[in-house]
């Protein structure tokens, strides 16, 4: 790979700064449609009074999410989980609560919430979303080995690009440039060609330069 010129290097530096600040939220943005749509579908499909009550509590979590108050969101999610932890709404509530905890810089609480989703959600998409978010948190905490262990988990093909991209971030942070480049290349190959997210992956590969 050829050396970067000054303009390209500036773009890479800007990307790195942006990614450090916002990277952990990208995964949340990618799945926000899943949370909203599937929550609505469960409301339509569940007929029992218990499910209806769980849906009402989930609606309260969503309402509190608009407040950006991590404690209020967490309390609402806890109320749902304590009464209807086996419902489809519980892991969705915990994901929203974890997002709020991260925004409030409460990493310890977010870690517990994400781990709960990984262990208790009955839907692989929600488990993988929580796993990716938790791996991103561990990356920020410089717990690289723990992050890589999470990223070694089996996952659907549709998530391979995201797993590989985050693995590249961890390996890059460890200074394992060749392995990071291979992971980014896998991510680039797996992400749909029409998805602009590929541009971010390409910039990260470019940012590795020719270092071995």
């Amino acid at each position: 790979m050829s050396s970067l010129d000054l303009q390209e290097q500036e773009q890479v530096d800007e990307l790195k700064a942006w990614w450090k600040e916002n990277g952990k939220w990208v995964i949340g943005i990618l799945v926000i449609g899943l949370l909203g749509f599937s929550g609505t579908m469960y409301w339509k499909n569940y007929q029992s009074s218990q499910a209806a009550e769980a849906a009402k509590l989930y609606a309260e979590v969503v309402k509190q999410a608009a407040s950006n108050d991590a404690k209020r969101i967490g309390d609402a999610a806890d109320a749902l989980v304590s009464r209807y932890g086996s419902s489809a709404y519980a892991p969705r509530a915990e994901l929203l609560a974890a997002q709020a905890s991260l925004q409030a810089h409460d990493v310890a609480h977010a870690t517990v919430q994400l781990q709960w989703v990984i262990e208790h959600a009955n839907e692989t998409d929600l488990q993988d979303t929580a796993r990716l978010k938790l791996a991103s948190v561990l990356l920020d905490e410089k717990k690289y080995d723990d992050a890589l262990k999470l990223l070694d988990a089996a996952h659907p093909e549709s998530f391979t690009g995201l797993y590989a991209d985050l693995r590249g971030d961890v390996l890059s942070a460890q200074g394992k440039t060749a392995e990071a480049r291979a992971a980014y290349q896998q991510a680039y190959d797996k992400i749909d060609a029409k998805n602009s997210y590929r541009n971010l992956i390409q910039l990260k590969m470019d940012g590795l330069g020719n270092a071995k």
Side-chain angles (χ1 to χ4, degrees):
M1 187 177 296
S2 60
S3 300
L4 301 177
D5 60 27
L6 179 59
Q7 183 178 9
E8 289 174 326
Q9 185 60 55
E10 289 177 349
Q11 290 176 337
V12 170
D13 291 341
E14 290 174 2
L15 170 66
K16 288 181 178 178
W18 181 91
W19 190 256
K20 182 177 181 180
E21 181 67 23
N22 302 287
K24 66 171 87 55
W25 312 124
V26 171
I27 298 166
I29 293 171
L30 291 173
V31 300
I32 193 169
L34 168 67
L35 294 177
F37 175 75
S38 51
T40 300
M41 291 304 295
Y42 274 107
W43 171 259
K44 292 180 178 179
N45 294 332
Y46 276 43
Q47 300 298 321
S48 71
S49 59
Q50 187 177 61
E53 183 61 27
K56 290 179 182 178
L57 291 175
Y58 179 71
E60 180 62 25
V61 176
V62 174
K63 177 182 176 181
Q64 294 301 332
S67 72
N68 293 320
D69 186 319
K71 185 178 186 307
R72 289 168 61 183
I73 300 168
D75 288 346
D78 288 344
L80 171 54
V81 170
S82 66
R83 295 179 62 185
Y84 306 105
S86 62
S87 72
Y89 296 100
R92 289 169 170 78
E94 286 289 73
L95 280 175
L96 289 174
Q99 187 82 352
S101 294
L102 288 174
Q103 290 175 325
H105 306 292
D106 187 351
V107 174
H109 204 176
T111 298
V112 172
Q113 292 162 328
L114 292 171
Q115 191 62 48
W116 189 94
V117 178
I118 294 170
E119 295 176 358
H120 295 89
N122 293 321
E123 298 166 70
T124 57
D125 283 356
L126 297 180
Q127 289 177 313
D128 285 308
T129 297
R131 192 175 288 113
L132 287 166
K133 291 173 75 68
L134 182 53
S136 180
V137 170
L138 292 171
L139 168 59
D140 289 344
E141 295 291 297
K142 301 186 187 306
K143 297 178 180 179
Y144 304 130
D145 290 339
D146 291 337
L148 289 173
K149 287 180 182 178
L150 279 178
L151 296 173
D152 284 338
H155 54 269
E157 182 68 16
S158 59
F159 276 82
T160 296
L162 293 174
Y163 269 81
D165 180 43
L166 188 50
R167 183 179 294 105
D169 291 344
V170 177
L171 293 169
S172 179
Q174 290 180 304
K176 299 178 179 179
T177 305
E179 294 176 58
R181 183 180 291 109
Y184 286 141
Q185 186 62 59
Q186 181 187 26
Y188 186 86
D189 293 339
K190 291 294 183 179
I191 298 293
D192 189 285
K194 297 179 181 179
N195 193 327
S196 59
Y197 188 65
R198 291 180 102 207
N199 295 332
L200 293 175
I201 300 172
Q202 182 63 64
L203 281 173
K204 283 193 276 188
M205 284 193 288
D206 292 345
L208 294 175
N210 291 316
K212 300 297 184 181

